[in-house]
Amino acid sequence: MFDGYDSCSEDTSSSSSSEESEEEVAPLPSNLPIIKNNGQVYTYPDGKSGMATCEMCGMVGVRDAFYSKTKRFCSVSCSRSYSSNSKKASILARLQGKPPTKKAKVLQKQPLVAKLAAYAQYQATLQNQAKTKAVSMEGFSWGNYINSNSFIAAPVTCFKHAPMGTCWGDISENVRLEVPNTDCSLPTKVFWIAGIVKLAGYNALLRYEGFENDSGLDFWCNICGSDIHPVGWCAASGKPLVPPRTIQHKYTNWKAFLVKRLTGAKTLPPDFSQKVSESMQYPFKPCMRVEVVDKRHLCRTRVAVVESVIGGRLRLVYEESEDRTDDFWCHMHSPLIHHIGWSRSIGHRFKRSDITKKQDGHFDTPPHLFAKVKEVDQSGEWFKEGMKLEAIDPLNLSTICVATIRKVLADGFLMIGIDGSEAADGSDWFCYHATSPSIFPVGFCEINMIELTPPRGYTKLPFKWFDYLRETGSIAAPVKLFNKDVPNHGFRVGMKLEAVDLMEPRLICVATVTRIIHRLLRIHFDGWEEEYDQWVDCESPDLYPVGWCQLTGYQLQPPASQSSRENQSASSKQKKKAKSQQYKGHKKMTTLQLKEELLDGEDYNFLQGASDQESNGSANFYIKQEP
């Protein structure tokens, strides 16, 4: 584990042919211990700096590990290059009868103290820029949110589609890492060892070695970040290990302390950063064409083009959108997208594009890139038109409703309608595969104590399936035809995560698992009422670990504040009532409406049915007002 610090030997032999004079560098705090790459600890009681900057390439490192007697270069090649370039620049200038060029001046010997001072100023500028950026983005912090409420987060291994989801390994508490030392006054980045105190998705609460039970300098970071390394990385990279300033006088022999602390300890795999990078490579590229659900008419698909890819999520722009604003967000493994020609192959409705030929640069996505569905045998007993079942309403994902199979397609796909709220032309039917975790046999809700939403206008309450089947002359779909697989997903009630707002799928929000029924999860969006919850499958590609947005650079929506909810509730009461087919539902458009009103004041109509069942929140929708 720790023998890596003895694996790099020091070579201080000089290879420079130029005459060099001894130069001093900027003084550091006295008695500052610095662990070099050979494991030795150096202290400078006279205040002389232990750091130096290469005059050729500008690399900053431990002074005693530098080359030449005067420690001016980080390597033999830099020493030789410096001498050669300096001579060439001077000779050329003399031959041309010109004063030294700017490049020659730069290559001329400069005092190290000036270079270190300039470097320190540069680092200070970067830090100030980072602080300014942090202030501008100040707001929600997963670390503070979890610490202040003692929350737990779903582990990364619950999300097989997310980066590192299948190769996370046994990263857990007490694993040791090499991380930047922020409790240090050195002008360059140095590292120290920290242990994981608590894990929350990709994020970890870390504590520097040497602080024991003192949590005063504990900090949160994303362990998939570029500055997080396994123990031994500094030794292999020639980076200095410097103990935090707060505890630098706590021990006289830091190497012995680290050897004792790290013996038998776990760290990250040596190829951890490589695995992170590989797991964030995505096969979908901009300009690829796909078939995707029409968000305004769920019964059909349309051609769309990949506009951008973020963390495996695709921003799709419908091909006929001239201003490229008519878009739809989904994950590349979403069941809502398919290869070109899919609709025709299974008999699904499809909106033909007015564009007669593909635009320049656009090309069809290879079929093998799409998520595969389980093969089914439709030759024996199978689903038939008119059979009843229970299904998650795609226009109101907080409800499971009485539903009917309206059409049986090829390859195991079914067109399903919600009883009591279907359009006469079937334009609000939606497509689920027979193995979809979003459809259930008759009686599923009753057995699992889930409220089943009855057909709109149905008056014989409480709803009883036996009576309803008799009244409608229908039969229930056979139980054996439904998907009964329940993976060992690892989710627990109360776990935190980041979840897509499926009714406004460009939004990813802070969320909590509130119920688990086999493989079905009830997702609650923090800060919002329960009526905005969503039923989601445990393997949905729209669920992500805590820290996913930070890792991929996607914007995370924080929990709604009480004032925001109250303002939204008050304005909603004044909205006009109507009905929508658009794939944007009630809470989702509620969230969006709040944000849009703050941004540009666009008007939205509140749409609500007239029945008693709807007034209870089973079919409330928002839709953008048409001009």
Side-chain angles (χ1 to χ4, degrees):
M1 169 60 70
F2 189 68
D3 59 1
Y5 292 108
D6 297 319
S7 62
C8 298
S9 61
E10 179 184 359
D11 183 357
T12 58
S13 61
S14 174
S15 300
S16 174
S17 60
S18 62
E19 295 183 359
E20 300 163 337
S21 59
E22 186 72 16
E23 295 177 331
E24 294 188 358
V25 294
L28 295 174
S30 62
N31 298 321
L32 176 63
I34 299 178
I35 298 182
K36 278 180 47 179
N37 60 353
N38 62 3
Q40 297 179 351
V41 182
Y42 290 86
T43 304
Y44 299 88
D46 57 354
K48 193 171 182 179
S49 172
M51 307 299 293
T53 303
C54 178
E55 295 188 20
M56 183 61 201
C57 68
M59 190 193 84
V60 179
V62 179
R63 189 172 187 273
D64 287 283
F66 270 41
Y67 287 76
S68 80
K69 294 179 180 179
T70 53
K71 313 298 183 188
R72 296 171 55 199
F73 307 103
C74 67
S75 66
V76 175
S77 61
C78 280
S79 177
R80 289 176 177 171
S81 298
Y82 179 89
S83 177
S84 175
N85 289 343
S86 296
K87 289 180 179 179
K88 288 179 181 178
S90 298
I91 292 172
L92 182 61
R94 288 197 301 268
L95 289 176
Q96 295 177 344
K98 298 178 180 180
T101 64
K102 184 176 181 180
K103 180 177 181 180
K105 290 181 179 179
V106 171
L107 291 171
Q108 289 177 355
K109 186 165 57 178
Q110 299 178 7
L112 281 178
V113 62
K115 298 184 76 173
L116 281 179
Y119 186 82
Q121 183 177 4
Y122 170 72
Q123 290 291 326
T125 302
L126 290 182
Q127 292 178 2
N128 289 335
Q129 291 175 349
K131 290 178 180 178
T132 302
K133 185 177 180 180
V135 169
S136 65
M137 299 177 64
E138 189 176 65
F140 179 76
S141 164
W142 264 121
N144 294 337
Y145 191 56
I146 290 175
N147 272 352
S148 60
N149 298 280
S150 300
F151 290 141
I152 59 172
V156 174
T157 52
C158 291
F159 310 87
K160 305 303 181 185
H161 59 282
M164 301 299 292
T166 58
C167 53
W168 188 249
D170 58 351
I171 299 174
S172 59
E173 295 178 3
N174 297 320
V175 166
R176 304 303 205 284
L177 316 167
E178 290 181 354
V179 300
N181 177 5
T182 58
D183 183 26
C184 180
S185 58
L186 291 175
T188 185
K189 181 187 294 183
V190 293
F191 293 80
W192 190 240
I193 296 173
I196 296 178
V197 178
K198 185 175 183 178
L199 264 180
Y202 294 118
N203 294 346
L205 180 63
L206 302 181
R207 181 174 301 169
Y208 289 122
E209 284 294 341
F211 276 84
E212 309 300 340
N213 296 322
D214 183 3
S215 61
L217 285 185
D218 288 2
F219 61 98
W220 285 90
C221 75
N222 193 308
I223 62 176
C224 290
S226 59
D227 275 339
I228 309 301
H229 307 282
V231 172
W233 177 84
C234 285
S237 306
K239 303 293 184 181
L241 279 173
V242 180
R245 179 173 50 186
T246 304
I247 58 170
Q248 67 183 27
H249 300 294
K250 191 173 181 179
Y251 298 96
T252 57
N253 190 338
W254 280 101
K255 179 182 178 182
F257 167 79
L258 289 181
V259 170
K260 181 178 179 181
R261 291 287 295 172
L262 299 180
T263 299
K266 293 181 179 180
T267 188
L268 298 176
D271 59 347
F272 183 78
S273 60
Q274 179 182 349
K275 287 183 177 179
V276 171
S277 178
E278 291 175 352
S279 66
M280 295 182 68
Q281 302 300 314
Y282 307 103
F284 280 79
K285 307 297 180 184
C287 296
M288 284 185 171
R289 300 171 76 239
V290 301
E291 289 185 8
V292 63
V293 65
D294 186 339
K295 63 183 181 182
R296 292 181 177 82
H297 298 88
L298 301 187
C299 66
R300 69 187 184 188
T301 57
R302 297 172 61 184
V303 173
V305 179
V306 177
E307 179 77 10
S308 59
V309 183
I310 303 178
R313 302 198 75 232
L314 313 177
R315 178 177 180 256
L316 303 172
V317 175
Y318 290 113
E319 197 169 47
E320 294 176 304
S321 176
E322 295 182 358
D323 59 1
R324 309 194 68 76
T325 59
D326 190 8
D327 62 357
F328 185 81
W329 280 90
C330 68
H331 192 271
M332 63 183 184
H333 293 154
S334 170
L336 300 177
I337 60 171
H338 310 277
H339 62 85
I340 298 297
W342 173 83
S343 297
R344 174 181 292 182
S345 69
I346 70 162
H348 193 283
R349 292 172 68 175
F350 175 75
K351 180 185 179 182
R352 295 187 179 277
S353 174
D354 293 336
I355 301 175
T356 57
K357 62 179 181 178
K358 289 183 288 188
Q359 299 182 18
D360 292 341
H362 295 177
F363 59 99
D364 295 351
T365 306
H368 71 271
L369 297 185
F370 295 87
K372 301 295 187 295
V373 294
K374 184 178 179 180
E375 293 185 3
V376 294
D377 181 12
Q378 297 183 226
S379 61
E381 185 176 12
W382 192 241
F383 293 99
K384 297 179 180 179
E385 292 183 16
M387 283 183 172
K388 299 294 183 180
L389 70 164
E390 299 175 3
I392 296 175
D393 185 351
L395 290 175
N396 186 358
L397 295 167
S398 67
T399 62
I400 299 178
C401 306
V402 174
T404 304
I405 297 174
R406 293 304 180 187
K407 188 176 181 181
V408 178
L409 308 179
D411 296 342
F413 288 95
L414 310 170
M415 296 302 295
I416 296 174
I418 300 298
D419 284 22
S421 61
E422 298 176 65
D425 59 356
S427 59
D428 54 359
W429 295 352
F430 49 93
C431 185
Y432 279 142
H433 192 263
T435 61
S436 170
S438 298
I439 59 175
F440 317 95
V442 164
F444 174 84
C445 286
E446 182 178 0
I447 292 174
N448 294 286
M449 294 182 290
I450 300 174
E451 182 180 358
L452 176 66
T453 301
R456 180 183 303 169
Y458 189 75
T459 57
K460 294 184 179 180
L461 302 177
F463 178 85
K464 298 294 182 182
W465 264 116
F466 180 80
D467 295 336
Y468 185 70
L469 291 174
R470 184 185 58 191
E471 293 168 5
T472 57
S474 307
I475 61 173
V479 175
K480 65 181 181 180
L481 298 181
F482 292 85
N483 182 7
K484 304 180 186 65
D485 296 337
V486 181
N488 184 19
H489 48 70
F491 286 102
R492 299 290 181 269
V493 171
M495 284 183 170
K496 297 293 180 181
L497 69 162
E498 298 176 3
V500 174
D501 185 341
L502 289 170
M503 301 310 293
E504 181 50 49
R506 67 181 176 86
L507 304 178
I508 297 182
C509 311
V510 173
T512 307
V513 178
T514 57
R515 285 195 71 183
I516 301 176
I517 308 296
H518 307 303
R519 63 181 299 146
L520 194 62
L521 309 180
R522 180 81 170 178
I523 301 298
H524 173 73
F525 295 93
D526 290 18
W528 294 92
E529 290 79 9
E530 291 183 2
E531 63 181 297
Y532 304 137
D533 292 358
Q534 294 181 354
W535 289 108
V536 181
D537 182 61
C538 65
E539 294 183 341
S540 168
D542 296 306
L543 304 178
Y544 303 99
V546 165
W548 181 88
C549 283
Q550 178 188 2
L551 177 64
T552 60
Y554 204 94
Q555 182 178 357
L556 177 66
Q557 305 298 318
S561 64
Q562 182 177 358
S563 59
S564 298
R565 294 196 307 271
E566 290 175 350
N567 292 338
Q568 179 60 29
S569 177
S571 62
S572 296
K573 293 179 180 178
Q574 302 174 3
K575 300 295 181 181
K576 187 177 179 180
K577 299 180 179 180
K579 174 172 172 64
S580 165
Q581 284 186 11
Q582 189 165 350
Y583 194 45
K584 294 183 178 181
H586 119 160
K587 173 253 171 170
K588 306 316 172 187
M589 288 300 290
T590 302
T591 310
L592 177 63
Q593 182 193 24
L594 176 59
K595 293 176 172 54
E596 296 290 356
E597 286 180 349
L598 293 175
L599 293 173
D600 54 19
E602 289 188 3
D603 190 20
Y604 288 80
N605 280 345
F606 178 55
L607 306 177
Q608 184 181 35
S611 69
D612 294 338
Q613 286 74 23
E614 273 191 71
S615 65
N616 290 331
S618 63
N620 299 335
F621 306 95
Y622 281 96
I623 185 171
K624 186 173 179 180
Q625 184 180 23
E626 298 296 335

